[in-house]
Amino acid sequence: MKKFLLPLLAFALSATAAAAQEEGRPQRTPKEMAARQMQGLTKQLGLSADQSAKVQPILLARDQEMMAMRAQMQAGTADRAQLRTQMQANRSKYEDQLKAILTPEQFTQMQTLEANRRQRGAEMLPEGKMKEKDGNLKIKTKTDS
């Protein structure tokens, strides 16, 4: 009887936890994420109306691609190393596009804001989960030592 109840209890608890997590934080669409980012960038960088109109589609395309890659990773249909390389290439592509629109001061300020955001994210992780390598933050995995 115990052999039957223990797996059933474990399944029930995991299903309840997953449902609670889904209810707690609804996933934003790429369009919602891009709009929110646009508001922040407009305010923090002082973008003109012309700059905002040019930046919005870039943010939307970036967020759509990132969501598609995350879905592939979660589904287990893509190689992690390949996705990481693709994400880095996309980041460079979108930075180049933004650099063409923003003033040099705005671009530098945007890079500073992103570095601060990454640093805050790293500080929120439990001790020992991050390490710095070549100026970039990396999440340690069980295979890293």
Side-chain angles (χ1 to χ4, degrees):
M1 183 76 165
K2 286 182 183 179
K3 288 182 181 180
F4 174 73
L5 288 178
L6 192 57
L8 185 61
L9 180 62
F11 174 74
L13 288 175
S14 64
T16 304
Q21 187 177 15
E22 289 177 8
E23 291 173 11
R25 186 173 171 200
Q27 191 73 316
R28 290 190 178 101
T29 66
K31 190 173 184 175
E32 291 169 336
M33 289 187 296
R36 184 173 181 195
Q37 292 164 1
M38 191 69 244
Q39 289 174 342
L41 286 178
T42 300
K43 181 180 176 183
Q44 293 170 329
L45 303 180
L47 299 181
S48 68
D50 183 48
Q51 286 175 315
S52 293
K54 291 177 182 176
V55 169
Q56 178 74 24
I58 294 170
L59 294 177
L60 180 58
R62 182 190 67 181
D63 290 341
Q64 288 172 334
E65 285 185 19
M66 289 298 292
M67 186 167 272
M69 284 186 272
R70 283 187 191 118
Q72 287 178 356
M73 191 167 35
Q74 288 174 348
T77 59
D79 177 41
R80 253 180 124 73
Q82 182 183 5
L83 276 179
R84 175 182 282 257
T85 303
Q86 188 178 353
M87 285 180 181
Q88 289 171 342
N90 284 350
R91 186 179 313 127
S92 295
K93 175 178 78 171
Y94 290 118
E95 277 185 1
D96 291 343
Q97 291 176 0
L98 291 171
K99 195 173 195 176
I101 297 168
L102 303 176
T103 66
E105 295 82 19
Q106 287 172 325
F107 186 75
T108 302
Q109 188 176 4
M110 183 188 75
Q111 288 181 315
T112 302
L113 291 169
E114 288 178 358
N116 291 342
R117 181 184 50 79
R118 282 193 301 273
Q119 183 63 38
R120 283 192 312 270
E123 290 170 358
M124 292 174 61
L125 289 175
E127 193 67 31
K129 289 287 185 182
M130 275 294 199
K131 70 177 182 180
E132 194 165 326
K133 182 177 181 181
D134 301 329
N136 293 322
L137 294 176
K138 178 183 174 189
I139 297 177
K140 281 187 180 180
T141 62
K142 290 182 181 180
T143 57
D144 292 342
S145 296

